[in-house]
Amino acid sequence: MKAFVAGATGETGRRIVQELVARNIPVRAFVRDIQTAKAILPPDVELVAGDVLQADSLAGALGDSTVLLCATGAKPSFDPTGPYKVDFEGTKNLVDAAKAKGIEHFVLVSSLCTSLLFHPLNLFWLILVWKKQAEEYIQKSGLTYTIVRPGGLKNEDNTDAIVMQSADTLFDGSIPRQKVAQVSVTALFEPAARNKIVEIIAKPDGSVKTLGELFQQC
């Protein structure tokens, strides 16, 4: 296995990279700026510069990767096309490149509530709408996929138990990014995670189960 991580220098992406490295999985990190990435990511990670919006550059960027994890996301800005470009068009480009390359498993970090049109986050240029469009594109692609929809993201980890449910059943809650990374990487190894959408939050009073058990119950 060799993992290609898009959005590798983002707050969630860098934790996914760390989780992969901790499991001794070779990583090819797709980043916009090599120097920034060198300061953030572990030294043994292979760095590839590029942009998900430049579709023709992706085939070469994927190299000999066998699995792909996408943790890209539009940053809040005054550009109304940001979420469309990054969360839909960029993900679509990755899916197309993954199909052409024969990628074995595509893991997308999406968001809770993508099915809710009247959600406050959609005031940010319809960000959840475009994430949902990206999810549907992956589902129709023929690729083996896992779509992870986390609740509100926290930078600090905690000891709360991960709560995992099937699509459109969790509508609030938060989760540390470290746990999102653990779920995303574990999905690569769990047959029960294949071709599923899972929603995750963390609760102090949640029942403690292995990630394998959680994937099986969804």
Side-chain angles (χ1 to χ4, degrees), residues 25 73-74 76 83 87 101 128 152 161 165 180 182 189 193 198 210:
I25 299 164
D87 290 286
K101 202 75 177 175
L128 294 179
Q165 292 182 198
V180 177
Q182 288 163 4
F189 298 92
V198 296
T210 67

Side-chain angles (χ1 to χ4, degrees), residues 119-138:
H119 189 281
L121 277 176
N122 276 327
L123 296 173
F124 169 39
W125 314 126
L126 300 177
I127 187 164
L128 294 179
V129 170
W130 292 119
K131 284 182 183 290
K132 176 70 170 167
Q133 294 291 314
E135 289 180 2
E136 290 176 357
Y137 194 79
I138 291 172

Side-chain angles (χ1 to χ4, degrees), residues 39-107:
I40 292 172
L41 301 176
D44 45 354
V45 169
E46 195 179 339
L47 302 177
V48 187
D51 190 326
V52 291
L53 297 177
Q54 295 170 344
D56 53 356
S57 69
L58 290 174
L62 281 169
D64 57 350
S65 306
T66 60
V67 295
L68 190 156
L69 300 98
C70 176
T72 56
K75 290 182 169 61
S77 76
F78 293 110
D79 178 5
T81 66
Y84 163 75
K85 287 192 291 195
V86 177
D87 290 286
F88 176 63
E89 201 63 39
T91 305
K92 179 175 174 287
N93 290 342
L94 284 169
V95 170
D96 290 345
K99 273 186 76 173
K101 202 75 177 175
I103 287 289
E104 295 164 16
H105 199 144
F106 191 118
V107 178

Side-chain angles (χ1 to χ4, degrees), residues 195-208:
N195 302 324
K196 272 185 186 171
I197 295 176
V198 296
E199 300 187 332
I200 52 171
I201 58 172
K203 285 185 173 179
D205 56 350
S207 58
V208 178

Side-chain angles (χ1 to χ4, degrees), residues 174-193:
S174 62
I175 186 166
R177 294 178 192 269
Q178 197 66 47
K179 289 178 170 40
V180 177
Q182 288 163 4
V183 170
S184 300
V185 173
T186 301
L188 299 169
F189 298 92
E190 291 291 339

